[in-house]
Every structure is written in structure tokens, then in C-alpha cells.
Amino acid sequence: MDDPAFEAALRAIAADRARGAAELGRAALSLLADAVQTLPAQNRSELRQRLQERANRVAGCRPSMAPVSNLVGQWLRGPDAPAGRDDEDVPTLRRRYRVWARELIERSELAGELAAANAAEYIGPGRTLLTHSRSATVLSVFRRLAGRGTSALVSESRPLNEGLVLARELAALGISVCLITDAQLGLAVGEADAVLIGADSLLPDGGVLNKCGTYPLALAANDHRVPFIVCCERFKRRPPQMGPPELEVMDPGELGYALPDGVTARNRYFDITPARLVTAWVDELGVHETYEPG
Amino acid sequence: MDDPAFEAALRAIAADRARGAAELGRAALSLLADAVQTLPAQNRSELRQRLQERANRVAGCRPSMAPVSNLVGQWLRGPDAPAGRDDEDVPTLRRRYRVWARELIERSELAGELAAANAAEYIGPGRTLLTHSRSATVLSVFRRLAGRGTSALVSESRPLNEGLVLARELAALGISVCLITDAQLGLAVGEADAVLIGADSLLPDGGVLNKCGTYPLALAANDHRVPFIVCCERFKRRPPQMGPPELEVMDPGELGYALPDGVTARNRYFDITPARLVTAWVDELGVHETYEPG
């Protein structure tokens, strides 16, 4: 992988509006695993240094998405050589980094699947679930509940309508799906047995960074006493030392129409739902009705 | 006005997505004022009976919008002949209904303007106001505050984006306008000094029937302790004897894209914001921090 290919792949991750945070975290690892194979380096220390430079850029390319920096950071801290071995040659080290990336990708996928399994068991069959945006983990929960009387209310999730993609995926699973505008989320809560969402990041206090619109949806769920369930693996946890998260702002052109003269537009992708509005956090370890950091 | 022309005009009011409830109430009166000129009738009682039939259809054509039935109902109860006169001929009665319609239209316009003036005085200069959907009364409030340091945050208001129309109107007044998606309303509350909305109907308990998305916006305003102000004239008050309002459902085709196989869509236009979330109701009589029916 040469420099231009690396830069193009990095830009693609930064611009990706279709995949969720965990998927992009894994894509970031794949990119670095590829890059490490061809980075010019005469010795181990040079390889590590060049890798560090690239990894820092990848880790920072989606500041609202904790899994990207978490997975890249964990990858960079490993791979540990077997005890007592620090004399491997550069090709061996390249290979070890590649294997380590694959292992972390698998751990991340497995964590997401376990979280989904825990959520499906917690929710049980025969429920109408309301969701917002598209989360691969939420899709996995629905996959486990398909054919068991589960139905879905799905918001379109402007500006790019990834809810429409999710609606198609759910219908393909045989789930009864009703699509609504984001503005109807408050109305739809009254028809739902629970709200189920994924997350782009979990904050150290249990707050949920997710597609904008999640926060007012959580308020409506609380106002209706409908459970508000967040399902995501622990790689989504933002480390306290990182400080407050940035809420990514995207191109207003995504709104899809020309703005009148004198009108500006804002396209902020994420909002933060305070922990007090969350009924349960479900992850690979189980269902947590209070949030414990770490 | 012949029957086909009446039917076409009635359908246009029923299908109108651009004008607000008060404007459509006035359009309903104009339609009936025209119709009464040409309705075939041999005598006063026949004219009144035919008029009643038409008025009932017009009054029911927008069930979520109280001003339509209120204005038509009030028109139908009048016009009273001068005391002691019940012997006017049919042409005179036609003329009297037309004049009465004009008077009610003017009363309705004046009430809206007075409500807007009261709201502008209550809000004062130098504020950032967040609004959702397009209300002629809210536009009038902004007109009174233009050039006085007022700025606006405006949601697009899917599915037909009447917020974009309002944004253009506000920019033409020289007001600084930022357009957002409906899903960003919860985020934007944190930047607003107040939320200002109109209403399609006020319920007898002070609940507000307005474009869907208003209810979660009100929840977010309350959560941020940002005032939530409803500005509309008293013709918007739904009489208690009418029972619970219907929340109009429109064509899902308005969402603007083809639905995937197996996916249904819902396009409900209105939600109800409970009175407990309203900071102030502003009407032609003043600013009310508690709601008194009647």
C-alpha cells in the first residue's frame, strides 16, 4: 500500500456516512494492518515510529466515534512479543501486527454479537421496537428476534436516510417495518414497547453519543415510561482522559437542496443523551441498569 | 361558483401543505362566501339549508386545524339581521353572508397580528429564537423583531420542508437564519434563548396540536430550561364539545422516495404537546403563563 492509497483509504473512512462506529473502527484496523506491510523501515524502531504516525492520523479521523481511537490505540500498544523475545526481525513484526489487527477485529465483532445476544434475551419476543439511525449491533438484535413476533418502527435519519437502509435490511429478515420521519419519533414512542439504539461512543458517565435526534427520542421515551435501551460493546467506551467528545459537523450540502440567499445551514451528526435517560446499557458482559465506568 | 369549482376549491384546502391553520380557516371562509353567491335557492330557508351542507363539509376538511371549523361555525351562526328584521330577500341575505365572511377574516387576521405583537413585546430584542414548521403568526413575530438583534434557528420540517420557506422569508427580513434538520432540534435548544412556535389547534386543557416534532422539541426545551412559547390567536382553541382531535395522516409518498419491498411508511403531520411543557401561551389578549379555557 503506497502513500496515495493510504491517504485515499483514510479519507474514505473519514467521509463514511453509511457504516457505524464499530464497523469503521474495524475498517481503521484493516487499513493499518495493510499499511504496516509496506511501510519502509530499516529496523523495528523505525517501523514502530512510522506506524505511530499513521495510527495517530487514523485514530483521530472520526472524533465522535470512540471505537476508532480505542481499537487503533489498543492495536498500537500490542502486539506483545512472546515473553523474553524482543529480537524479531522487521518482517516478523509486520506479520505480528497484521495478526494482531485480525484478532482485535474478531474481538470487536464478537463483542458486538454478544451484546446483541444479551439485548435480544433482555427484550424477548413479541415486542415493537423503535430505533433511530442504523446500528449494526441493533440489526443483529433484530436478526435474533426475527420470526418471533417482533416488529420495528424506524426513523429515516436525515440527512442521508440510513434508516431507509436499515428498514430494507429488517424487511429482508421478515420483520414488519414501519418507516417514519425523524419528526415523528415523539409520536411513535407511544406505540413502542421499547426504544433500542446503538451508540457511536459511551461517555465515562454513561452518556450516549449517537446520531442526532437520539436525545429528544430518549426524552420522549422517558416521558412515556417506555424503556430506552442502549446496546453496544465496550469498545465504544470513551476513555475519561480523552476529555469531552467532539460532535462531528458534516457538509451542509448533505441536506440535499440549495439554500436560499442569506440562510446558513448546520449539519451536526451527533447529540448526547444523558445517562439519567437510559434504562439499560447492554454490552458483551450483560445488562446494566446503572452505569459503571471501566 | 358551480359545483365542480366548489369541489376543486375544497380539495385544494384539504390538500394544502403550505399554509397554516389560520390561513386555511380564512381560505375556507372565502370559499363559502363565494359559494353562497350562486347557491340555487328559492327562499331564505332553502339558502340556509344548502349553505349548512356545504359549510359542514368545509368545516370538516382539516380535522387537526381548529380555526377551520371555528371560523366556519361562527360564520354559519351569523350573520344576524338587524333587530326585528327577518324578512330580507335572498339576494340581501347572500350579501350579508359575504360581508360577514369578510368581517370574520379581518377579525382573524387582526387577532393573529395582535398575538404576534404581544409575543414580540414579551420576547424582546436580541434573542436567538428556535422554531419548527412555518407559522404565519411566528413570521409576524419575527417581522416585528427584525433589525433588533434577533436571530433564528429553523428546522426544515419534513416531509415537505416548509421550514425552508420560512428560512427564506426570515432572511428576506434581514434576520440571521440557520437551518437545521428536524433531528438536530434537541441540539439546537441549547443555543436558543427561547423556542417560539405557532399552533394548528389549542386543546381545552392548553395542550398544543402542531406539526409533528413539536412535542420532543418542547421536552428538550424543558430539559434545558429554555422557555417554550406558543403564539396563536384564540380562534385556534378547539371547543371541548368536539372531543379529542384527529391527527391528520397524509400520503407517505410525500417522504419523497420509493419504499423498499415489505416496508410501510407513515406520514402523520401533527403531535400534541402537553400543557405542562408550555411556558407561555400568547394570544390577542396577552401573555398567559397558565391556561384558562374559554
Side-chain angles (χ1 to χ4, degrees):
Chain A
M1 169 173 273
D2 59 8
D3 277 5
F6 174 81
E7 296 298 332
L10 181 57
R11 278 196 304 272
I13 291 174
D16 194 309
R17 303 289 175 268
R19 286 180 289 179
E23 292 171 282
L24 289 175
R26 295 191 287 266
L29 283 185
S30 284
L31 170 60
L32 287 168
D34 284 352
V36 77
Q37 302 315 303
T38 52
L39 273 178
Q42 301 297 327
N43 54 47
R44 295 167 57 91
S45 115
E46 192 182 352
L47 181 64
R48 286 196 204 269
Q49 187 195 324
R50 295 199 160 197
L51 200 55
Q52 175 88 50
E53 290 161 8
R54 299 223 153 173
N56 286 346
R57 294 187 53 215
V58 174
C61 79
R62 295 307 296 262
S64 296
M65 297 179 167
V68 176
S69 53
N70 284 346
L71 287 170
V72 171
Q74 196 164 341
W75 181 69
L76 208 50
R77 286 192 293 279
D80 292 325
R85 292 283 305 276
D86 194 31
D87 57 353
E88 290 170 342
D89 57 15
V90 168
T92 304
L93 192 61
R94 292 188 201 274
R95 209 159 45 236
R96 198 182 289 282
Y97 269 107
R98 189 174 59 205
V99 171
W100 177 227
R102 286 192 192 139
E103 183 173 331
L104 282 174
I105 288 170
E106 278 179 25
R107 284 190 202 178
S108 161
E109 286 169 347
L110 180 63
E113 287 303 315
L114 288 172
N118 287 334
E121 188 181 338
Y122 177 60
I123 291 164
R127 305 297 184 187
T128 297
L129 301 175
L130 171 58
T131 191
H132 178 56
S133 189
R134 179 188 174 279
S135 150
T137 314
V138 165
L139 176 61
S140 177
V141 177
F142 274 107
R143 195 176 289 119
R144 290 157 198 276
L145 292 170
R148 299 169 64 195
T150 304
S151 61
L153 291 158
V154 177
S155 58
E156 54 186 16
S157 300
R158 285 273 291 149
L160 295 185
N161 294 340
E162 65 268 20
L164 190 57
V165 175
L166 178 67
R168 183 180 296 117
E169 292 167 323
L170 295 179
L173 295 172
I175 290 173
S176 163
V177 188
C178 180
L179 188 75
I180 57 172
T181 54
D182 300 334
Q184 291 176 87
L185 280 166
L187 274 167
V189 157
E191 299 169 54
D193 296 307
V195 174
L196 174 68
I197 58 147
D200 288 277
S201 299
L202 291 184
L203 306 190
D205 66 356
V208 182
L209 191 157
N210 197 47
K211 184 76 186 277
C212 67
T214 302
Y215 159 60
L217 169 59
L219 288 169
N222 273 251
D223 200 45
H224 280 75
R225 296 175 198 280
V226 167
F228 182 85
I229 303 165
V230 180
C231 180
C232 67
E233 66 277 21
R234 294 167 83 91
F235 284 115
K236 297 280 181 77
R237 291 172 170 230
R238 185 178 172 88
Q241 63 270 22
M242 286 186 73
E246 179 185 330
L247 301 177
E248 294 176 19
V249 180
M250 308 299 188
D251 179 3
E254 288 183 358
L255 270 59
Y257 40 70
L259 292 174
D261 282 348
V263 175
T264 60
R266 188 183 306 150
N267 183 20
R268 200 179 288 278
Y269 255 47
F270 303 102
D271 62 23
I272 292 173
T273 300
R276 65 184 147 82
L277 301 176
V278 178
T279 309
W281 295 261
V282 185
D283 63 24
E284 61 271 38
L285 301 186
V287 177
H288 315 282
E289 295 187 351
T290 55
Y291 191 80
E292 287 178 19
Chain B
M1 168 173 275
D2 58 8
D3 277 5
F6 174 81
E7 297 297 333
L10 180 57
R11 278 196 304 274
I13 291 174
D16 195 310
R17 303 287 175 271
R19 286 181 288 179
E23 292 170 282
L24 289 174
R26 294 191 287 265
L29 283 185
S30 284
L31 170 60
L32 287 168
D34 285 351
V36 76
Q37 303 315 305
T38 51
L39 273 178
Q42 301 296 329
N43 54 47
R44 295 168 57 91
S45 117
E46 192 181 352
L47 181 66
R48 285 195 204 270
Q49 187 195 324
R50 296 201 159 196
L51 199 56
Q52 174 89 50
E53 291 161 6
R54 298 224 153 172
N56 286 346
R57 295 188 52 216
V58 173
C61 80
R62 294 308 296 263
S64 295
M65 296 179 168
V68 176
S69 53
N70 284 347
L71 288 170
V72 170
Q74 193 164 341
W75 182 69
L76 207 51
R77 287 192 293 279
D80 293 324
R85 292 282 305 275
D86 194 28
D87 57 353
E88 290 169 343
D89 56 14
V90 168
T92 303
L93 192 61
R94 292 190 201 272
R95 212 160 42 238
R96 198 182 288 282
Y97 268 107
R98 188 175 59 205
V99 171
W100 177 225
R102 286 191 192 139
E103 182 173 332
L104 283 175
I105 288 170
E106 278 180 25
R107 283 189 201 178
S108 161
E109 284 169 348
L110 180 63
E113 287 303 315
L114 288 172
N118 287 334
E121 187 181 338
Y122 177 59
I123 291 164
R127 305 296 184 187
T128 297
L129 301 174
L130 171 57
T131 192
H132 178 55
S133 189
R134 179 189 174 279
S135 150
T137 315
V138 166
L139 176 59
S140 177
V141 177
F142 275 107
R143 193 175 291 119
R144 290 157 198 276
L145 292 170
R148 298 170 63 197
T150 303
S151 62
L153 291 158
V154 176
S155 58
E156 54 186 17
S157 299
R158 285 272 293 149
L160 295 186
N161 295 340
E162 66 269 20
L164 191 55
V165 176
L166 178 67
R168 183 181 296 116
E169 292 167 322
L170 295 179
L173 294 173
I175 289 172
S176 163
V177 188
C178 180
L179 188 75
I180 57 171
T181 54
D182 300 335
Q184 291 176 87
L185 280 166
L187 274 169
V189 157
E191 298 169 55
D193 296 306
V195 175
L196 173 68
I197 58 147
D200 288 277
S201 300
L202 291 184
L203 307 190
D205 66 356
V208 182
L209 190 158
N210 198 47
K211 185 75 186 281
C212 67
T214 303
Y215 159 60
L217 169 58
L219 288 169
N222 272 251
D223 200 44
H224 280 75
R225 298 175 196 279
V226 167
F228 182 85
I229 303 165
V230 181
C231 180
C232 68
E233 66 277 22
R234 294 168 83 91
F235 283 114
K236 297 280 181 76
R237 291 171 169 230
R238 185 177 172 89
Q241 63 270 21
M242 286 187 74
E246 179 185 331
L247 301 178
E248 295 176 19
V249 179
M250 308 301 186
D251 179 4
E254 289 184 357
L255 270 59
Y257 40 70
L259 292 175
D261 283 347
V263 175
T264 61
R266 186 184 306 150
N267 183 19
R268 200 179 288 280
Y269 255 48
F270 302 101
D271 63 22
I272 292 173
T273 299
R276 66 184 147 83
L277 300 177
V278 178
T279 309
W281 294 260
V282 184
D283 63 23
E284 61 270 40
L285 301 186
V287 177
H288 314 281
E289 295 188 350
T290 57
Y291 191 80
E292 288 178 18

